Amino acid sequence: MHRFLLQKLQRLQSAQLILLGFAAMILTGALLLMLPVASREPYSVSFLDALFTATSATCVTGLVVYDTASCWTAFGQGVILLLIQIGGLGVVTIAVLLALISGKKIGLMQRSVMQDSIAAPHVQGIIRLTRFILCSTLLLELIGALLMLPSFAAVFGAARGSWYAFFHAVSGFCNAGFDLMGVREQFSSLTYFSEDLMLNAAVMLMIVIGGLGFLTWKDIAEHRLRFREYRLQSKAILSTTALLLLLPFCYFFLVEFRGLPLRARLLLSAFQAVTPRTAGFNTADYSAMSDTGVALTICLMLIGGAPGSTAGGMKVTTLIVLISSALSVFRQRKDTVLYGRRVSDAGVRDAAALLLMYLFLFLCGSFLLCGIEAVPLKLCMFETASAIGTVGLSMGLTPTLSATSRVILIVLMYMGRVGGLTLIFATVARQRNGSGRMPEEAIPVG
């Protein structure tokens, strides 16, 4: 039986193994959260609610039907944090770590799956890269916890503050958005600390670093400030990320929070510019935000972070490739060029397919929720974008949703975390490219 299952697994493609790995982890987490010891009121959590929470944690989303602090015990919170860590690093990364610890040999198939899991350019050096990822993650999360500790210890005491600092450091770095602030007010996120400079800076730092991607860290570690020596992917990620942080900050500062004192205005604008990049924490009430601010946040949630990172969304590289492709059309150039390098036609097609898939899922999910729940479309679009982008921001709709709508969000969170191309490659059989090509005929567009 064991040999039969092993043979079946070996026949699966990398994308299919990634899908199964996440699904298995979600199911395991749901069963653990259903244990009486996991919730403050034993047997009060249904399987669907446990599955929703486990999916949200493993897919590092942050949408919840129950407040994390008031519903779950220390054991339940520990399960959620473990799911966040595994989901942020990737199930495959954790599996490789366990294999390395046990001394097992990592075969070519496992290396190939690892390559697809973290969006590495090639298999060579993948184990060394895995060690770098794990060591860097633990170090950065420890630094984040130490930076957050003074703020939490001042409010909750040293012991409890240490747990809160560690929990939020991991949740922030993994771009999960789960918080324990329900002890003050349920579903309040970090609004209590909206003017705490140290905590805001630490959380934003964790979110940005986690969303840059593992390969970008490696470029920064190896080449420091020599930007020209970075690989094209890292250049595109860093420049696009900087732009996606600066422009929303300017909007929030000049429009949404213009009536507030300067300190609060700066902190709120900066945090709300950072957090839609799949983080899920918030220091402002989104239900009180203008329609323009909500629409901007939805766009940022759909874009997400970098490939091979703890963030979700269709990815910043997808956006910059599509913009570069459009500019090449406007300038009547044959090739899509980015930082002096030609982007392959396959890369442009993949980016277009991802955009279409995310928009399709986003619109379908929004319309289904709106039809089922009979609530304003704006609320449904916000929750749907938060789910498919694995963000976790909410306008308060998720806890009130029916079972059918929760299932829809579960599916969207799962699709958003495993990645668009992974989902496509796992479910659609690859066609072998023959030597012949179909006849060509022009079709007008635009």
Side-chain angles (χ1 to χ4, degrees):
M1 183 66 178
H2 176 73
R3 183 177 296 178
F4 174 76
L5 290 175
L6 184 61
Q7 290 175 348
K8 285 289 186 181
L9 287 174
Q10 289 176 341
R11 293 176 184 174
L12 295 175
Q13 298 176 3
S14 297
Q16 293 170 328
L17 287 172
I18 294 172
L19 288 178
L20 290 175
F22 271 99
M25 186 54 58
I26 289 170
L27 182 58
T28 302
L31 294 176
L32 289 174
L33 290 176
M34 286 192 68
L35 295 175
V37 71
S39 56
R40 298 190 185 279
E41 296 182 11
Y43 305 106
S44 63
V45 177
S46 66
F47 175 73
L48 179 60
D49 291 339
L51 182 66
F52 189 100
T53 305
T55 304
S56 184
T58 308
C59 297
V60 290
T61 304
L63 287 176
V64 292
V65 291
Y66 296 118
D67 181 79
T68 306
S70 58
C71 174
W72 306 106
T73 62
F75 175 82
Q77 293 172 15
V79 170
I80 289 172
L81 190 64
L82 182 61
L83 293 176
I84 290 171
Q85 187 73 87
I86 294 174
L89 289 175
V91 175
V92 179
T93 306
I94 300 298
V96 171
L97 169 64
L98 295 177
L100 289 173
I101 294 174
S102 63
K104 292 184 179 180
K105 184 179 179 181
I106 308 299
L108 183 60
M109 185 189 76
Q110 289 84 359
R111 293 170 190 260
S112 177
V113 176
M114 185 65 197
Q115 177 191 4
D116 292 340
S117 177
I118 63 175
H122 43 70
V123 177
Q124 184 180 3
I126 199 71
I127 302 302
R128 186 167 60 253
L129 178 60
T130 303
R131 292 194 183 99
F132 170 79
I133 291 170
L134 295 170
C135 293
S136 300
T137 297
L138 294 176
L139 177 61
L140 289 168
E141 288 176 347
L142 178 60
I143 293 173
L146 291 175
L147 292 175
M148 297 179 195
L149 180 57
S151 298
F152 286 125
V155 178
F156 302 106
R160 195 175 184 184
S162 299
W163 166 242
Y164 276 41
F166 180 70
F167 187 98
H168 290 86
V170 174
S171 183
F173 178 81
C174 293
N175 280 217
F178 277 82
D179 68 85
L180 300 177
M181 294 298 103
V183 293
R184 304 194 65 86
E185 182 182 351
Q186 289 192 1
F187 306 109
S188 61
S189 192
L190 299 178
T191 53
Y192 178 80
F193 295 94
S194 62
E195 296 189 34
D196 188 316
L197 177 60
M198 178 61 77
L199 185 66
N200 275 254
V203 174
M204 287 189 287
L205 184 65
M206 290 292 98
I207 293 170
V208 172
I209 292 176
L212 286 179
F214 306 129
L215 293 176
T216 307
W217 306 350
K218 192 170 179 61
D219 261 348
I220 295 173
E222 290 179 352
H223 304 298
R224 309 290 179 177
L225 298 178
R226 300 188 297 273
F227 188 74
R228 291 184 178 181
E229 298 180 17
Y230 288 12
R231 57 172 57 91
L232 177 61
Q233 174 180 322
S234 299
K235 292 178 181 178
I237 289 170
L238 290 171
S239 58
T240 309
T241 297
L243 193 63
L244 290 175
L245 292 175
L246 178 61
L247 294 181
F249 168 79
C250 292
Y251 168 78
F252 288 121
F253 183 80
L254 296 174
V255 180
E256 292 294 336
F257 306 118
R258 63 178 180 269
L260 298 177
L262 181 60
R263 177 188 174 89
R265 190 178 176 186
L266 286 169
L267 288 176
L268 285 169
S269 300
F271 200 94
Q272 266 53 241
V274 170
T275 195
R277 309 293 309 291
T278 82
F281 296 114
N282 64 284
T283 56
D285 183 5
Y286 279 94
S287 62
M289 196 172 287
S290 69
D291 288 347
T292 306
V294 170
L296 175 60
T297 303
I298 289 174
C299 291
L300 293 173
M301 289 194 291
L302 291 175
I303 293 170
S309 71
T310 61
M314 66 179 183
K315 305 297 187 293
V316 294
T317 47
T318 301
L319 176 66
I320 193 63
V321 166
L322 290 174
I323 291 176
S324 299
S325 177
L327 290 176
S328 68
V329 173
F330 298 155
R331 296 170 181 171
Q332 296 185 344
R333 292 179 177 176
K334 182 179 179 180
D335 297 324
T336 299
V337 178
L338 191 60
Y339 285 104
R341 294 290 186 271
R342 179 172 58 86
V343 180
S344 67
D345 292 338
V348 176
R349 290 197 301 270
D350 287 347
L354 276 174
L355 174 64
L356 183 61
M357 190 193 80
Y358 270 86
L359 289 178
F360 176 78
L361 292 173
F362 165 63
L363 292 175
C364 285
S366 301
F367 295 155
L368 285 173
L369 257 63
C370 186
I372 294 171
E373 303 297 331
V375 295
L377 181 61
K378 180 179 75 171
L379 298 181
C380 299
M381 295 179 75
F382 195 93
E383 305 292 310
T384 303
S386 184
I388 190 66
T390 68
V391 181
L393 293 176
S394 176
M395 296 183 73
L397 180 62
T398 297
T400 67
L401 293 177
S402 63
T404 304
S405 297
R406 292 182 185 184
V407 170
I408 292 173
L409 290 186
I410 288 173
V411 173
L412 290 176
M413 287 189 289
Y414 179 70
M415 289 180 172
R417 181 63 186 110
V418 298
L421 289 181
T422 301
L423 186 66
I424 293 170
F425 293 156
T427 55
V428 180
R430 295 184 179 182
Q431 301 293 330
R432 293 183 178 180
N433 293 324
S435 57
R437 302 179 69 182
M438 293 295 179
E440 182 177 319
E441 183 174 350
I443 179 171
V445 295

